[in-house]
Structure formats: structure tokens, C-alpha cells
């Protein structure tokens, strides 16, 4: 397994830097293993594993930057790669937005690593899949699911004395259960750092119940409805909002945070005052990377740069993005922050939306007439200025009347903006982990469904 | 080495751009390394035989090996700045086996060692055996004759990787300059260039060497009116192609003039950026659309995406059967509809064919990634669903004995599975130009270019935007519209197709990064069509206030 300790990583990074003849140099070392098993129609369909470790070296000469990567770790290979990065830097066009590298930083401890996950093997994975499938077979249902686990590390250093190291594991599990007559479908997804928190059989039960309850869906008229968006659905809507917190885009007039006439909406009350959204990499339930720039979650993806990309090393810390509905903070690249004379806040690597204390059952009970949404699908931006998105409900959509789920309904297409949803809040539930974030179920009025879908 | 030679090297800038995640093990290299010839075919054969023998000895009843060298170059600019020049190379070996009736797969990077490849094959067999306990039915593979030692190459007049990077950055910066001087406030431009060097061998007796090239030049220009708070963008009207740098040399015959210039076999990026900037400014002042029913006239630069989503994905047999249920979804085009031989997917004007041999298309190859010779076949004939897209372990479910050659993996490190073939709408049989088509439309919208897109998990209900929207009133173009999206149901939509222009208007569009599978893989695929008319489609107004 391509995972090494902090001391070993530092030794390699120090060696790289000792070869440098550039004005400044940064190095990123990433390694890990990613394994998976996939099943469909209650049978395994594929599975595999990948290991990798990669070193990315960036040399800065004046306002020029050059990078090179290597997967070999001999002194000769490393020195050759350092020289290559420097050669590229000398020949590169000057980048007017080049920012000098930053010095030593203090990083928060983030509880992302679990030995339970690191020890997983193919037998364990097969058993998880088996537990999920067998529960469905007993009820004459059909399961299609995917389990992926990863274990890895990332380390960064630069010639200004910066050093950071982080070890992480992650587990992602999802299953779609369909009835034998293909008239019902249910879905559930869970993600953790520690595999011990996953009970595949129990989790699959949720998808099974949704599948069985969603047969014989009725068509009702599209229009504006009160909706209860389960955390899976709410998470999808929020993603694009939270990834659009960049100040430069807003200053350029290209974002939902652009102010008419110029400038940004920082400090404005944009959404319901019950909404506070922050990021905190040390959150015990959904910890995230302690330093910025890498852009990865877990080690499932070795990105296009061939091993992680060049992190600029800014520390991730607790940042409140929306406080009681007010835009409290926005992210800045270092270049843009320097230009504006403000702190260069990196984009969040995870976010936590504060909720309320209502259970899903409470929310249903208090609903006179509404729609319960399990999941949103194929959500795409229609207009980034208003955050208008379109997409569909999927795998369990139910009509609620007088505080009770009455019957399953056909899926809807929606056209709606997260900003509008967060202005129409009726109630908030308890946040749960969803894709590395903490998201509550949300009850909101006047959610716009524009057409019906026959898809199951 | 001098400054000019920078352009033969790579540089990774500081600016972050969202890029698709590509398969594991890609490493950044110099542009010079992209020109290296790669392994000699005799070495590949030796490695392949080592894997096939090891798999067979360990009990595999079938094995195939893919030795892949994947080269990418992405050049990215913004306004007057080069943001990134990224070259990557990825080399390795993937071995797929059937043992105990179950698929197994393992891969190894950066090796020329027969022992290492043999060990990887053994690992694949071990995976198959470990997972076989979850198997309900053994894999049934359609027979395939071995082709011996054969090869195929994308016809290339000008290899993208032989062009100095300076020429490419100069082109993109000129494109940006043209956009900025013609009214754009912001512009991003990108050149994506790909070369897949793929060697395939199997226990059937095939040793297939292929050299595949693809290119996608594109940009986005943005115009902003801060006073009104409005913003408009216009993306390039290029199509990604199974071509190389020669696609960027356009001859007059490659241009189609009209309300805006569109492109066929050659693309003029500078000319398109100039038009785009002017059009983005015009879009700021365009009339907002009145929601309602319209007759739509759809240019091939737009229709390709509707075809991709509503026909391409819907007729993938793995989706129809349920293998993608947990992610991409299933399909409404179920087996019973195909068996009925009378399922009206579309009107009589609607004929779709799949073709992995279409010249210049993104999906054009000689053989697929399980050694099946590529071909053309019908999917929808005179509006009736007549076939699917399938691979070797699926075709028996259609009562057939021969795969259609739709198997693909995006890397040596990922397992091959069923991916979309080029799916195209056949041109109309009657002679008909775009102008003649528009002349008959009383209340309509002419849509050019692709915009936002979304479709449900069984491919019924969809919504599409576009780049340019022109109102048609009584057979005349009446001006530009904004805030347009149309919604329909796949079957209703294709049944509302009343006319398709003839083959003179036939052009390819395509998608470079089509995602599917878990873990996700990407695929590039083209969709051709001529301009087509659809009557009475529901159009929405997408403007909102927040």
C-alpha cells in the first residue's frame, strides 16, 4: 500500500527541496489505495483496486512557474524532476497573477483516518455487498450498489519552510433497490471515514422500504409545493451554492453573489435568518482536509495533474459562510485577496448547515399538503446569476396530506434556486453526514415543480 | 533550450480550473515526451502473451489484455494570460479474465516486465474467484474470432502533438483578443488534445494495435452589464472530433452561413470567437421569451446533445437490463418494447443509426476494447425501435451471437464495459435546406449550440437550453431571444419531428467527457444530424429574481 508516515514523507520532501536552485519551490506528495466492489441485479458486476504514489514539484523563478511529476523516488529521479521543473519555469511565460509561496502554517488536526478502513480487504468488501444483496433477495427485490474505500496520505512542503501532512480514509456506499416488477425504486447512500460505522444490511433496508412503498405512483399536477427535502436531496442543491462563494467571480458580475451596479453581496441578508452554514475541518462527524489547494476528498481520484495538484498550503479553519442568513464570508484566491487587501480565505473543503431539532417524522406530521423528496437527479445549472437549477426527483417521492404520507407520486422535474429554497424555509431537521458535509432535512414552501416524469 | 522551446515543455500555472478527473496514474510530462513512439509492438505482444498464459494457467476460461499509452495535452488561457499547459502520459497494462464464471480485473502501471504482468493476470483471476460467491449466473460471452495481428489509426494530416505549444497558445490568445475587442468582458479558451495508443490481445487470438486521436477546441465568452445585473455567455460552436490539429484548418466549404456561421469538417476558432463576443452582447439586450408551445428548428450543434441523452443513453443495453441502476439509471426503452417491433420511438421521419466507423467521429475505431470489429447498425428505423447497443456478455440476451462492438475503457487501469457508440439521426430523404425549413414555421424558435441539459434516470423527461435562440415569426427570423429552455418527453419529442434537412446539412456534434459507471469513467462520442424541426414543443422562460 502506497502510504507512508509523516516522518518518511518529510524526509522525501526535504530531499526534493535540497536539490532546488529555483527562487522558490513547493512539493506535494500523495499516495494511497482505492478499492471497490460493484453489484447489480443482485450479483457482482465488477471490482478492483489501484495503488499509487506521486510527487509533484513546482519551481518558481521570478513570476514564472514550472511543474513536473515523478513516480520514482531515487535521488537521481528526484533531482532530474527538480531540474525539469526549473527548466520549465525559466521558459514559461510570466504569470502576472503569480503569488510568492507562503511560509510555515499551523494546521488543525482533522480526524480523517481510521485503521478499520485501512485494514479492509476484498473478502470484507464482498461480505458488505453480500449483506446488502441478501436482504433484497429475501424480499424478491433487486439491488444495485457500490462500495468504495480508500486509504491515503498527502504531504506538502515548500522552500519557505511550510510543511503539512494528513492521513485519511474514506468509505462511500450507495444502493438502489428496485422491485421485481420495476414499479418501485428506493435509494440510500452513506459515507464515513470509519467502515465500522457502516451497517450495509441495515442501510439497505431504507432503500428496500422506499422501493416497496413507491410502487403504484400516482400522477399529480406539477406546480408549487411545500417540500421536505431529505439530506441527500438538499445536499445536491447546496453544492453549487457553496462552490460559488468565490469573490472574484462575484466582483466580475458573474455570480449569484454579484451586486447590481457592481461589488458583492457580502454582509447582505440573502437567505432565511434560521440558516447558518459554516465549514470546520475538525468536525468529528465530517472531518475534512486541513490544508487547501488539493481539491480532493479521500484518495479515490488521482487527478489530472497526476497525483494531487499543487496545494498552496493555506490552512483550512472554521469559517462561517452564512450567519443567520447573512453572507458572512466569501472565498478569495491569494491573488484576488492581495489585490483587495483582505485575508485570502480558501474555498471550504466541506460544509455544515446548521439544522433544527425536528425529526423527519415531525416534519411530515406538521405538513398539511406537501411532497417528500428522497433524492434529486441530473441537477444542472440553468443560470449561475440566480442559481437556478433544474433536475428531477428520484427513488422515492411521496405525497403528504394532513401530516401523513398518503401515496407515492410520479417523479417531478424542478426548476428552482437554492437561494429561493433557503428563503422559503418552514422547518429544519437534524444534520446528517452527506458526501463529507453535514446537511439537515429541510422543509420549504413554494418549491417549483415544472413537469412530470414517468421514470421509476 | 531557448524561450521558444518552452512550448515544447509543460507548465502548470497557479490558477485553478476544474478539470475532469482522469484515470489513475496519469503523470505530467514534457511535450517532447508526447512525441516518443512508445513501446514496440513486439514487446507489447510479449507482455500480452505473458498475461494470457498466466491467466489461463490459473484457471481463466477467457482473458484479454489491454496495453495502453494515453497522452493528453490541455492548453488553457484566460483573456491575455496562459493559465495552464498540461501534458500527461499514462502507461500500463489491464488484464480482464473470466474465472469460475465471474469477471475479474487487475491492472499495473508503468511496466515492461513479463513477470509483473503475469502476476497482475493472476491477481485478476483471484479477484474473479473471490467475487464469484456473489455471482448469480456465470458470464456468457458471445464467440469472437481472432483477427491475428492487425492495426488501425485515426487518419491524421497534422498531429496535434507535433504542433509547437507556442502556436497553440498564440492561437488561443488571438481568439481571446478577438473576443475582447468585439465586446466580451471575459473569455476562457481551451484546446484539449488526446492520443490513445491501445494494444489489445485476447485468448481468442487477436493482437490489435490502434492509434486514436481526438481534439476539442473551445471557448466561453462572457458579457456583463453591471448596471442591470445581467450576464450572458456564448460558448464556441466547435464540435469535439476524432481528428487531430487539421480540424483547425477550415476551408470555405466547411462554413455554413446564415444567422450565424456554423462549421462542418474544419473549424475557424478566431472567426467564431469574434461572432460569439458580438452575440453575447446582443443576448444582454435580447427579448425574454414568452413561455408556451413553439415549433423548434434545431441546428446539429444543438441536436447532438438531445440525441445523446434521449436516444444514445436510452438504448444502451446495460442500462435497459439494470446494470447502471445505482448511478446513471435504467431505460424506458425496455426489451418488451423492442420485441413488439412496433414501438414508436419517433415519427416516420426519425431514423437513428449507430456507427463506430463514422469518419472523423469521436467513437471511430477499428476494433472495440474487447476485440470486436466495429460496424454500423440501425437503432430506430422509420420511427420504430429496432436494436440496442450491446457488448459480448450481453448480446445473448437479445438472442444474438455477435457483439456490436460497444466496449470501451477510458484507461488501461479501468475495466472495459458497455459505452455509447456514435448515434446519429439520419438526414431526410427529401431535398430541404434550413432556409426552406424556416420558411414554413409560423411561431417557432431556431436554436443553435448546446446549453444546460438534464434528463431523468429512465430517459423520458428532459430539459435543454442552448447558445443562440432566434425567434421565428411567419417564416422569418424576427430577432434574438433569451431565457429559453424546452421540456419534453423523449417519445413525444421524437414523434413531433416533422422534417429533417437533407445530407448537405449533416454535421457531427459530440461530447468529450461523457460519464458513466462506478467508479466513473469518461467516454467521447459523436452524434450527427441535419437541422430538424419539432412541432409544438413546450418552452419555458428561465429568468428568475433572487
Amino acid at each position: 500500500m502506497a502510504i507512508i508516515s509523516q516522518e518518511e514523507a518529510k524526509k522525501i520532501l526535504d530531499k526534493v527541496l535540497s536539490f532546488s536552485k529555483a527562487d522558490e519551490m513547493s512539493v506535494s506528495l500523495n499516495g494511497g489505495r482505492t478499492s471497490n466492489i460493484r453489484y447489480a441485479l443482485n450479483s457482482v458486476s465488477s471490482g478492483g483496486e489501484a495503488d499509487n504514489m506521486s510527487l509533484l514539484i513546482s519551481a518558481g523563478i521570478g513570476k514564472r512557474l514550472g511543474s513536473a511529476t515523478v513516480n520514482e523516488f531515487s535521488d537521481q529521479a528526484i533531482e532530474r524532476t527538480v531540474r525539469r521543473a526549473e527548466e520549465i519555469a525559466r521558459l514559461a511565460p510570466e504569470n502576472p497573477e503569480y503569488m510568492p509561496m507562503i511560509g510555515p502554517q499551523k494546521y488543525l488536526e482533522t480526524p480523517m483516518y481510521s485503521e478499520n478502513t485501512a485494514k479492509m480487504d476484498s473478502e470484507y468488501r464482498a461480505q458488505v455487498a453480500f449483506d446488502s444483496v441478501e436482504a433484497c433477495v429475501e424480499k424478491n427485490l433487486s439491488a444495485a450498489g457500490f462500495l468504495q474505500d480508500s486509504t491515503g496520505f498527502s504531504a506538502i512542503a515548500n522552500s519557505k519552510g511550510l510543511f503539512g501532512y494528513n492521513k485519511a480514509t474514506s468509505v462511500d456506499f450507495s444502493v438502489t433497490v428496485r422491485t421485481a416488477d420495476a414499479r418501485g425504486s428506493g435509494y440510500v447512500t452513506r459515507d464515513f471515514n470509519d467502515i465500522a460505522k457502516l451497517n450495509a444490511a441495515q442501510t439497505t433496508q431504507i432503500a428496500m422500504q422506499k422501493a416497496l412503498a413507491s410502487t403504484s405512483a400516482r400522477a399529480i399536477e406539477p406546480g408549487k409545493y411545500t417540500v421536505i427535502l431529505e439530506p441527500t436531496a438538499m445536499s445536491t442543491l447546496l453544492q453549487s451554492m457553496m462552490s460559488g462563494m468565490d469573490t472574484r467571480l462575484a466582483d466580475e458580475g458573474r455570480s449569484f453573489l454579484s451586486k447590481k451596479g457592481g461589488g458583492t453581496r457580502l454582509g447582505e441578508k440573502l437567505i432565511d435568518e434560521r440558516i447558518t452554514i459554516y465549514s470546520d475541518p475538525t468536525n468529528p462527524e465530517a472531518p475534512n482536509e486541513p490544508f487547501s489547494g488539493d481539491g480532493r476528498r479521500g484518495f479515490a481520484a488521482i487527478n489530472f495533474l497526476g497525483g494531487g495538484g499543487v496545494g498552496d498550503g493555506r490552512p483550512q479553519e472554521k469559517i462561517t459562510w452564512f450567519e443567520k442568513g447573512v453572507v458572512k464570508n466569501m472565498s478569495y484566491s491569494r491573488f484576488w485577496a492581495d489585490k483587495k487587501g483582505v485575508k485570502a480565505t480558501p474555498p471550504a473543503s466541506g460544509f455544515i448547515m446548521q439544522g433544527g431539532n425536528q425529526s423527519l417524522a415531525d416534519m411530515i406530521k406538521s405538513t398539511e399538503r406537501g411532497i417528500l423528496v428522497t433524492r434529486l437527479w441530473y441537477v444542472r445549472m440553468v443560470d449561475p446569476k440566480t442559481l437556478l437549477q433544474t433536475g428531477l426527483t428520484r427513488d422515492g417521492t411521496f405525497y403528504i396530506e394532513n401530516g401523513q404520507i398518503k401515496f407515492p407520486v410520479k417523479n417531478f422535474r424542478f426548476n428552482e434556486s437554492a437561494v429561493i429554497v433557503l428563503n422559503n424555509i418552514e422547518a429544519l431537521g437534524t444534520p446528517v453526514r452527506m458526501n463529507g458535509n453535514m446537511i439537515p432535512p429541510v422543509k420549504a414552501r413554494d418549491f417549483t415543480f415544472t413537469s412530470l416524469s414517468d421514470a421509476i | 533550450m531557448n524561450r521558444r522551446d518552452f512550448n515544447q515543455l509543460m507548465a502548470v500555472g497557479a490558477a485553478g480550473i476544474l478539470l475532469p478527473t482522469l484515470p489513475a496514474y496519469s503523470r505530467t510530462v514534457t511535450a517532447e515526451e508526447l512525441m516518443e513512439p512508445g513501446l514496440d509492438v513486439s514487446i507489447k505482444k510479449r507482455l500480452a502473451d505473458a498475461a494470457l498464459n498466466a491467466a489461463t494457467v490459473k484457471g481463466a476460461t477467457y482473458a484479454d489484455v489491454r496495453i495502453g499509452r494515453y497522452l493528453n495535452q490541455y492548453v488553457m488561457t484566460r483573456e491575455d494570460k496562459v493559465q495552464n499547459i498540461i501534458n500527461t502520459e499514462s502507461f500500463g497494462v489491464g488484464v480482464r479474465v473470466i474465472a469460475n464464471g465471474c469477471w475479474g480485473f487487475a491492472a499495473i502501471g508503468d511496466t515492461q516486465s513479463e513477470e509483473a504482468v503475469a502476476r497482475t493476470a493472476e491477481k485478476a483471476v483471484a479477484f474473479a474467484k473471490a467475487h464469484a460467491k456473489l455471482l448469480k449466473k456465470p458470464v456468457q460471452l458471445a464467440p469472437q474470432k481472432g483477427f491475428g495481428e492487425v492495426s488501425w489509426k485515426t487518419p491524421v494530416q497534422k498531429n496535434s502533438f507535433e504542433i509547437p505549444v507556442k502556436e497553440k497558445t498564440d492561437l488561443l490568445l488571438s481568439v481571446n483578443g478577438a473576443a475582447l475587442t468585439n465586446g466580451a468582458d471575459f473569455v476562457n479558451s481551451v484546446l484539449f488534445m488526446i492520443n490513445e495508443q491501445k494494444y489489445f490481445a485476447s485468448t481468442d487470438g487477436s493482437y490489435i494495435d490502434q492509434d486514436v486521436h481526438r481534439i476539442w477546441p473551445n471557448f466561453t465568452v462572457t458579457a456583463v452589464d453591471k448596471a442591470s445585473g445581467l450576464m450572458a455567455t456564448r460558448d464556441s460552436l466547435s464540435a469535439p472530433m476524432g481528428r487531430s490539429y487539421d480540424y483547425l484548418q477550415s476551408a470555405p466549404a466547411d462554413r455554413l452561413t446564415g444567422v450565424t456561421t456554423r462549421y462542418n469538417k474544419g473549424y475557424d476558432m478566431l472567426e467564431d470567437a469574434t461572432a460569439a463576443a458580438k452575440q453575447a452582447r446582443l443576448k444582454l439586450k435580447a427579448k425574454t421569451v414568452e413561455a408556451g408551445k413553439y415549433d423548434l428548428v434545431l441546428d446539429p450543434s444543438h441536436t447532438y446533445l438531445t440525441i445523446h441523452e434521449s436516444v444514445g443513453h436510452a438504448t444502451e443495453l446495460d442500462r435497459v437490463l439494470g446494470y447502471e441502476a445505482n448511478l446513471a439509471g435504467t431505460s424506458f426503452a425496455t426489451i418488451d418494447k423492442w420485441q413488439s417491433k412496433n414501438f414508436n420511438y419517433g415519427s416516420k421521419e426519425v431514423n437513428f443509426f449507430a456507427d463506430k466507423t463514422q469518419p472523423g467521429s469521436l467513437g471511430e475505431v477499428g476494433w472495440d476494447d474487447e476485440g470486436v470489429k466495429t460496424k454500423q447498425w440501425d437503432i430506430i428505423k422509420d420511427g420504430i425501435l429496432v436494436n440496442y447497443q450491446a457488448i459480448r456478455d450481453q448480446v445473448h440476451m437479445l438472442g444474438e451471437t455477435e457483439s456490436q462492438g460497444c466496449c470501451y475503457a477510458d484507461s488501461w487501469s479501468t475495466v472495459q464495459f458497455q459505452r455509447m457508440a456514435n448515434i446519429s439521426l439520419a438526414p431526410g430523404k427529401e431535398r430541404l435546406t434550413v432556409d426552406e425549413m424556416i420558411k414554413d414555421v409560423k411561431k417557432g424558435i431556431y436554436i443553435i449550440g448546446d446549453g444546460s441539459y438534464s434528463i431523468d434516470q429512465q430517459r423520458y423527461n428532459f430539459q435543454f437550453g442552448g447558445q443562440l435562440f432566434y425567434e421565428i415569426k411567419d417564416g422569418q427570423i424576427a430577432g434574438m431571444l433569451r431565457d429559453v429552455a424546452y421540456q419534453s418527453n423523449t417519445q413525444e419529442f421524437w414523434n413531433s419531428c416533422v422534417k429533417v434537412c437533407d445530407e448537405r446539412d449533416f454535421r457531427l456534434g459530440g461530447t468529450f467527457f461523457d460519464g458513466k459507471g462506478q467508479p466513473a469513467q469518461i467516454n467521447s462520442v459523436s452524434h450527427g444530424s441535419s437541422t430538424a424541426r419539432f412541432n409544438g414543443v413546450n418552452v419555458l422562460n428561465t429568468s428568475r429574481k433572487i
Side-chain angles (χ1 to χ4, degrees), chain A residues 51 65 67 69 87-88 91-93 174 176 252 261 304 306 378 380 385 394 413 415 450-453 456, chain B residues 1-3 6 10 12 22 25-26 28 78 86 226 229 309 325-327 453-454 456 458 461 463 487:
Chain A
D51 285 272
L65 187 76
S67 296
T69 56
E87 191 177 9
I88 294 167
L91 295 165
S174 62
T176 301
E252 290 173 345
F304 186 75
Y378 219 135
R380 289 292 182 275
K385 284 301 298 281
R394 175 175 173 181
R413 171 171 294 287
N415 273 265
T450 51
S451 56
L452 277 178
S453 157
I456 295 164
Chain B
M1 191 174 290
N2 55 40
R3 181 155 175 71
F6 157 76
M10 61 77 62
V12 179
L22 290 190
Y25 305 122
S26 283
T28 46
R78 173 189 169 148
I86 302 173
K226 284 191 177 173
E309 301 289 8
N326 189 44
L327 183 78
Y453 52 99
S454 172
D456 69 39
Q458 288 190 310
N461 174 306
Q463 178 174 317
Q487 275 185 11

Side-chain angles (χ1 to χ4, degrees), chain A residues 36-38 40-44 47 50-52 64-65 67-69 84 87-88 91-93 96-97 126-127 129-130 144-146 148 174-176 178 187 248 251-254 256 260-261 265 301-302 304-306 375 377-378 380-382 384-386 388 390-392 394 411 413 415 417 450-456, chain B residues 1-3 6 9-14 19-28 30 32 72 74 78 81 86 88 102 105 127 130-131 133-136 186 222 224 226-229 231 309 321-330 452-463 487 517-519 540 542 544-546:
Chain A
N36 70 73
I37 185 166
R38 190 182 198 203
L41 304 177
N42 292 337
S43 184
V44 64
D51 285 272
N52 195 28
R64 305 173 195 281
L65 187 76
S67 296
T69 56
R84 175 70 77 183
E87 191 177 9
I88 294 167
L91 295 165
E97 297 188 3
Q127 189 59 48
F130 185 80
F146 183 62
Q148 179 162 274
S174 62
V175 60
T176 301
R178 293 173 68 78
Y187 175 79
R248 184 177 187 169
D251 276 330
E252 290 173 345
R254 299 203 262 179
F256 74 103
K260 203 171 163 181
R265 301 182 76 168
I302 305 299
F304 186 75
L305 294 175
R375 182 186 183 191
W377 166 246
Y378 219 135
R380 289 292 182 275
M381 189 65 76
V382 176
K385 284 301 298 281
T386 59
L388 182 73
T390 190
L392 298 117
R394 175 175 173 181
N411 287 306
R413 171 171 294 287
N415 273 265
S417 160
T450 51
S451 56
L452 277 178
S453 157
D454 287 326
I456 295 164
Chain B
M1 191 174 290
N2 55 40
R3 181 155 175 71
F6 157 76
L9 287 170
M10 61 77 62
V12 179
L19 285 172
T21 296
L22 290 190
Y25 305 122
S26 283
R27 61 187 188 95
T28 46
T30 66
E32 289 155 338
N72 303 281
Y74 290 3
R78 173 189 169 148
K81 285 176 280 294
I86 302 173
T88 67
C102 186
F105 176 75
F127 263 114
H131 289 169
K133 79 170 190 181
L134 261 175
L135 194 67
K136 293 287 186 283
F186 307 100
T222 305
V224 170
K226 284 191 177 173
S228 67
M231 176 185 94
E309 301 289 8
L321 296 170
Y323 287 98
E324 280 290 323
N326 189 44
L327 183 78
T330 59
S452 73
Y453 52 99
S454 172
I455 190 164
D456 69 39
Q457 75 275 13
Q458 288 190 310
R459 306 278 146 173
Y460 286 111
N461 174 306
F462 59 68
Q463 178 174 317
Q487 275 185 11
Q518 289 175 307
L540 280 79
T542 61
R544 292 287 188 284
K545 277 189 180 158
I546 58 168

Side-chain angles (χ1 to χ4, degrees), chain B residues 46-59:
Chain B
R46 208 178 64 218
L47 291 171
D49 281 335
L52 297 177
N53 291 335
T56 311
V57 166
K58 286 288 176 185

Side-chain angles (χ1 to χ4, degrees), chain B residues 175-446:
Chain B
V175 162
N176 297 358
L180 292 169
T181 53
N182 283 283
D185 292 301
F186 307 100
V187 54
N188 291 84
S189 57
V190 185
L191 273 172
F192 293 108
M193 292 152 286
I194 284 174
N195 175 209
E196 293 183 351
Q197 298 168 9
K198 306 198 289 190
Y199 186 83
F200 172 90
S202 76
T203 47
D204 295 323
S206 287
Y207 296 89
I208 301 166
D209 196 29
Q210 301 194 89
D211 187 28
V212 183
H213 289 257
R214 297 195 281 269
I215 186 167
W216 185 23
N218 70 92
F219 60 76
T220 299
V221 301
T222 305
V224 170
D225 181 0
K226 284 191 177 173
S228 67
L230 288 176
M231 176 185 94
T233 61
R234 189 339 207 127
D235 294 348
S236 62
L237 296 179
S238 67
M241 299 291 279
R243 304 266 303 274
S244 203
Y245 211 70
D246 35 284
Y247 175 52
L248 283 158
Q249 294 171 312
S250 75
D254 297 323
R255 288 178 174 79
L256 289 91
T257 53
V259 285
T260 189
T261 302
R262 290 140 298 138
Y263 302 90
N264 195 354
K265 290 177 180 158
Y267 176 55
D268 189 332
M269 201 173 188
L270 203 64
E271 179 188 64
D272 193 27
T274 303
K278 292 174 184 167
Q279 289 163 347
R281 290 236 79 84
L282 286 173
K283 280 171 88 170
L284 289 172
K285 292 176 183 163
K287 190 169 84 172
T288 193
V289 71
E290 192 180 317
K293 300 268 185 195
Y294 289 84
D295 292 350
L296 300 183
V297 176
L298 302 181
D299 185 74
S301 60
H302 173 90
T303 319
Y304 89 86
L305 190 51
T306 312
I307 294 170
H308 175 85
E309 301 289 8
S310 67
V311 183
H313 280 308
T315 55
E316 292 171 316
L317 189 58
D318 62 340
R319 292 183 58 117
V320 171
L321 296 170
Y323 287 98
E324 280 290 323
N326 189 44
L327 183 78
T330 59
S331 173
F332 77 93
T334 46
I335 297 283
D336 57 313
K337 294 189 173 91
W338 163 70
Q339 282 168 332
S340 76
K341 295 184 170 36
N342 64 6
F343 178 67
N344 273 103
Y345 208 109
S347 68
K348 288 203 180 304
E349 310 299 319
V350 173
N351 289 280
F352 279 101
F353 60 96
D355 189 356
K356 293 275 291 176
T357 67
Q358 215 163 5
S361 68
L362 292 163
E364 183 193 16
V365 283
W367 285 265
D368 78 348
D369 281 355
E370 56 181 359
V372 177
K373 189 97 184 77
T374 51
K375 62 177 182 182
Q376 182 191 117
W377 68 103
D378 289 328
I379 296 286
I380 292 164
K381 192 116 185 94
D382 299 328
I384 304 293
L385 174 68
V386 295
N387 213 334
Y388 296 102
Q389 307 160 66
I391 59 175
R392 287 182 68 184
D393 63 4
Q394 300 168 340
V395 284
H396 67 275
M397 302 179 209
L398 298 177
E400 292 180 16
T401 55
E402 191 184 306
S403 164
Q404 292 152 334
C406 299
C407 206
Y408 176 77
D410 63 0
S411 161
W412 56 268
S413 66
T414 52
V415 67
Q416 62 269 56
F417 70 127
Q418 197 258 292
R419 296 310 305 262
M420 198 187 297
N422 301 307
I423 304 286
S424 296
L425 174 67
K429 290 167 191 124
E430 313 273 314
R431 281 178 75 83
L432 182 70
T433 65
V434 179
D435 287 344
E436 287 163 350
M437 180 179 275
I438 288 173
K439 213 186 285 176
D440 287 340
V441 176
K442 280 199 165 8
K443 180 196 174 194
I445 302 173
Y446 181 26

